[in-house]
Amino acid sequence: MAARPERRRGAPGHVAAPPPTWPQADAPRVPRRVPSPPQPCGPDPNMAAPSGRRNGGGARLWAALLLAAAALRPAEAVSEPTTVAFDVRPGGVVHSFSQNVGPGDKYTCAFTYASQGGTNEKWQMSLGTSEDHQHFTCTIWRPQGKSYLYFTQFKAEVRGAEIEYGMAYSKAAFERESDVPLKSEEFEVTKTAVSHRPGAFKAELSKLVIVAKASRSEL
């Protein structure tokens, strides 16, 4: 039986059809993807602004930048910072610790609290002013991160200024751990203080941050 001749592709009598092409005018257009702008880092300064207050964009930006610096590196946040260590003492008795900052000690930050359980803990209060002395920061925290005391109450209060941003944390950043803020219903921010809300505060506190601006009487 004679072998059937093999038919090769491209042999005479066979024409390969070219792939279809789109006319230039009718070619489908693939939407060009525009990258999203980078999102700013750090907490939103509106998240814990005093109730009923709205600040200008410049003040919000300044507060956010100053807050981020104060929360991460208190010693570099503002000019001429002052950091003082103090003991937070349990026992259920109300204690208070305060420091002054600014020309003529024009600003005061005071931390008042009551706690139970455990033993004394070393905390720190860091204060500083902006270069024009119109803003100041007060950061109160436990450098080792989370406090193991049971707080029954707390208040961080400023004098000589009005609060533009305030935040409270159940856990402070330490090594690879990040700050853990309290739930908004656990505390309140007014023009002069960041304090617990009775009945809603769950007794955990490790850090407080305040950014304040000179009050009108001080301008």
Side-chain angles (χ1 to χ4, degrees):
M1 181 175 181
R4 180 177 297 177
E6 181 180 0
R7 187 174 182 179
R8 296 182 179 180
R9 189 173 183 180
H14 176 79
V15 178
T21 59
W22 291 89
Q24 187 67 25
D26 299 327
R29 296 178 179 268
V30 179
R32 185 178 179 183
R33 187 175 181 181
V34 179
S36 300
Q39 297 299 316
C41 299
D44 180 359
N46 289 321
M47 183 169 57
S51 302
R53 301 186 67 203
R54 298 291 181 183
N55 303 310
R60 287 198 300 267
L61 176 60
W62 189 95
L65 294 176
L66 187 58
L67 172 64
L72 297 176
R73 297 180 180 274
E76 299 177 8
V78 288
S79 61
E80 301 176 1
T82 300
T83 300
V84 181
F86 65 99
D87 287 333
V88 170
R89 295 172 286 175
V93 179
V94 175
H95 297 282
S96 184
F97 178 82
S98 65
Q99 286 290 304
N100 300 322
V101 70
D105 291 337
K106 66 185 295 185
Y107 302 123
T108 300
C109 184
F111 177 47
T112 303
Y113 67 91
S115 64
Q116 295 178 344
T119 58
N120 291 5
E121 291 183 347
K122 289 290 184 183
W123 282 48
Q124 292 183 354
M125 177 182 286
S126 181
L127 301 98
T129 65
S130 59
E131 292 185 359
D132 62 2
H133 303 298
Q134 295 306 302
H135 289 81
F136 91 99
T137 61
C138 177
T139 305
I140 305 161
W141 81 105
R142 185 174 191 239
Q144 288 75 24
K146 182 176 176 58
S147 170
Y148 294 97
L149 297 178
Y150 184 93
F151 285 85
T152 55
Q153 61 176 282
F154 74 85
K155 177 188 283 188
E157 188 174 11
V158 299
R159 291 189 285 272
E162 293 183 357
I163 294 176
E164 291 194 330
Y165 180 92
M167 181 56 68
Y169 301 84
S170 61
K171 186 175 182 180
F174 180 66
E175 294 182 345
R176 296 185 178 181
E177 301 292 330
S178 301
D179 289 334
V180 178
L182 266 63
K183 294 181 179 179
S184 58
E185 61 267 22
E186 293 186 69
F187 69 104
E188 62 181 354
V189 182
T190 66
K191 291 182 179 181
T192 59
V194 179
S195 58
H196 75 289
R197 279 186 173 153
F201 175 52
K202 294 183 172 54
E204 293 183 305
L205 182 70
S206 299
K207 183 177 180 179
L208 291 156
V209 177
I210 290 175
V211 176
K213 183 178 182 180
S215 57
R216 295 177 185 273
S217 61
E218 298 290 334
L219 295 175

